[in-house]
Amino acid sequence: MANKQQWALLKQGVEAWNKWRKLSPGISPNLIGADLRQEDLGGVNLMGASLCSADLSGVNLMQASLHQTDLRGADLRGAYLSKADLSEADITEANLSEAYLFEANLSRVNLEGADMHWVYLGKADLSGANLMGANLTEVDMRGANLIGANLREADLFKANLIGADLQGADLRGTNLGGANLMGARLFKTNFENANLEGCLVYGISSWGLKLEGANQSNLVITPPGEPAIALDNLEVATFIYLLLNHQKIREVFPSVASNIVPILGSFKADGRKDLLEGIRNALRQHDYLPLSVELEKAATPELIEAISTVAGMAKFMIVDFTDASSIPQELLKILQGIPLVPVQPLVQVNSKEAAVSEEFQEYPYAQSIYQYQSLEDAIASVEEKIIAPAEARAKDLLGGS
């Protein structure tokens, strides 16, 4: 239980409290279980205090000193902690959901098992922090310093990590599904057995990653506002991004046979993502690297040129003309000048794109068009009607190798 005299003194205001702390440096405040809801404690000195199980919901602790403070099990929901010093504090099992910690110092804190759902941690210092098992779903950590942080088995589903520094961070077994890692710094970061599915990885800096057992499917390497391009390898993502965006680099790499299989189409309509995922999964089982390109609108000339370079390195291509009226012309531009790349076209019966242009059908390596009645039929026939014909043609063109 909290010390009643200390609790009453804190209620008198920050000025009186801080004056007492200055005159009594050897006393560690006991505020265990104290009810401090909605209090204005901006700039308060709570360094080394015990606030276990205290109710600090909605409290203003801006620029407060909470160095080495014991906040185990505290309720900090909606608390305002901008620029507060929480370094080396123990915040295990605390509830920080919807708290605001902009530029807060959380270096070497213990947040194991804490609930940090919808927390704002923009530009916060979390270097060396222990966030093992923490609930960080949809957390905003833009520009945060996470160097050497322990995020093992934490839940970072759809977290915003734009520009975050994750050098040497431990993310083993962490759920990063759908997280935004654009511009993040990944140097010797450990992603073993982590879930990275659907992460946005445009502009990342990555070196010396540990990715054994990680789910790297559907990583989006293009920025918002451009046709989405996704692939299944974080280390390859940087290479492909450079190919797509730097002509000088494209000139260095001539067309070579690889296991890349571009998938072009528009898959945003209801149910169509299931078809895309069915094709991706089937390609993965054949040890191919699917590279999906979402073309719901006309691509820029620069993107067409870049995709052409990648297509020239591909084993074969898969193109779904359904719901993508711009694809015939875009595809013709891509196919110009790339030799020995079979293309497997498909289209849903009765769609407005069922009549594929004659120019495309004259491409020497175009396969017969697979027309499917329904998405279910197409998914069930991915192996037989889509991959197998293109794969067989690719082997023939390479002399049966």
Side-chain angles (χ1 to χ4, degrees):
M1 296 293 291
N3 182 297
K4 293 182 179 180
Q5 292 178 326
Q6 294 174 6
W7 189 354
L9 180 60
L10 184 58
K11 288 280 189 177
Q12 292 178 27
V14 172
E15 186 177 351
W17 175 269
N18 284 354
K19 183 178 180 180
W20 172 72
R21 290 300 311 269
K22 190 173 182 179
L23 295 171
S24 309
I27 298 176
S28 297
N30 175 8
L31 295 165
I32 296 173
D35 185 351
L36 297 166
R37 286 175 291 178
Q38 307 297 324
E39 292 284 348
D40 187 355
L41 300 175
V44 71
N45 180 3
L46 289 167
M47 183 172 64
S50 180
L51 284 152
C52 287
S53 303
D55 190 343
L56 294 156
S57 56
V59 70
N60 174 23
L61 286 163
M62 181 178 179
Q63 295 183 322
S65 177
L66 294 153
H67 175 67
Q68 294 185 334
T69 300
D70 189 347
L71 288 157
R72 288 175 295 166
D75 186 350
L76 286 152
R77 287 175 297 170
Y80 189 81
L81 291 146
S82 179
K83 299 184 179 180
D85 182 5
L86 290 137
S87 56
E88 300 182 25
D90 189 346
I91 319 178
T92 54
E93 305 296 334
N95 189 341
L96 286 120
S97 60
E98 299 185 32
Y100 189 85
L101 291 117
F102 177 71
E103 291 187 345
N105 183 359
L106 292 148
S107 60
R108 302 178 301 282
V109 300
N110 188 353
L111 283 155
E112 185 172 353
D115 186 345
M116 301 183 74
H117 184 68
W118 282 102
V119 173
Y120 184 76
L121 286 158
K123 296 186 178 180
D125 183 357
L126 288 145
S127 56
N130 179 15
L131 291 143
M132 184 174 179
N135 178 6
L136 294 154
T137 56
E138 301 182 276
V139 69
D140 194 330
M141 295 173 118
R142 280 175 286 185
N145 177 0
L146 289 153
I147 296 174
N150 179 7
L151 290 150
R152 189 172 181 179
E153 297 180 355
D155 191 348
L156 283 154
F157 179 72
K158 290 190 175 180
N160 186 343
L161 290 156
I162 294 175
D165 194 335
L166 287 151
Q167 292 183 75
D170 185 352
L171 290 108
R172 285 176 289 175
T174 300
N175 178 21
L176 286 148
N180 191 337
L181 288 162
M182 292 195 304
R185 191 175 185 185
L186 310 175
F187 177 71
K188 294 188 176 179
T189 309
N190 193 337
F191 289 110
E192 292 176 358
N193 300 311
N195 176 30
L196 293 158
E197 183 175 4
C199 283
L200 307 181
V201 297
Y202 169 77
I204 62 168
S205 174
S206 60
W207 300 92
L209 305 182
K210 295 182 179 178
L211 291 159
E212 185 177 356
N215 176 5
Q216 303 175 65
S217 59
N218 308 336
L219 302 173
V220 180
I221 64 174
T222 44
E226 292 186 11
I229 299 178
L231 76 168
D232 289 356
N233 189 302
L234 187 57
E235 291 175 310
V236 174
T238 301
F239 169 70
I240 296 295
Y241 167 73
L242 291 172
L243 281 176
L244 293 175
N245 290 275
H246 299 280
Q247 183 174 350
K248 292 295 183 183
I249 293 177
R250 291 200 294 271
E251 291 171 357
V252 173
F253 294 93
S255 297
V256 293
S258 72
N259 66 338
I260 297 173
V261 176
I263 309 165
L264 277 64
S266 180
F267 300 96
K268 290 190 174 181
D270 290 343
R272 297 199 58 76
K273 286 187 177 180
D274 292 337
L275 173 58
L276 175 60
E277 196 56 35
I279 296 172
R280 284 170 171 162
N281 287 333
L283 289 169
R284 290 166 187 147
Q285 292 173 12
H286 287 263
D287 294 325
Y288 292 123
L289 180 63
L291 177 71
S292 61
V293 182
E294 182 71 48
L295 285 177
E296 77 282 3
K297 58 184 178 180
T300 63
E302 293 77 14
L303 182 60
I304 292 297
E305 181 184 354
I307 296 173
S308 298
T309 300
V310 176
M313 300 169 63
K315 184 72 71 175
F316 54 87
M317 295 174 62
I318 297 170
V319 184
D320 191 332
F321 289 95
T322 313
D323 294 337
S325 58
S326 67
I327 283 186
Q329 292 305 314
E330 308 289 10
L331 183 59
L332 286 172
K333 296 174 186 176
I334 291 170
L335 294 177
Q336 290 172 357
I338 58 171
L340 305 179
V341 179
V343 177
Q344 177 59 59
L346 52 147
V347 66
Q348 189 164 4
V349 175
N350 298 325
S351 76
K352 61 182 180 180
E353 283 78 33
V356 180
S357 72
E358 294 181 2
E359 291 178 272
F360 165 69
Q361 294 184 58
E362 291 175 359
Y363 176 66
Y365 308 115
Q367 297 292 102
S368 298
I369 300 169
Y370 167 49
Q371 298 189 40
Y372 54 93
Q373 295 290 332
S374 65
L375 292 172
E376 291 76 14
D377 291 338
I379 293 169
S381 303
V382 167
E383 289 278 356
E384 179 186 359
K385 301 292 186 179
I386 300 174
I387 294 178
E391 190 175 46
R393 186 64 180 279
K395 289 180 179 178
D396 288 343
L397 292 174
L398 291 172
S401 59

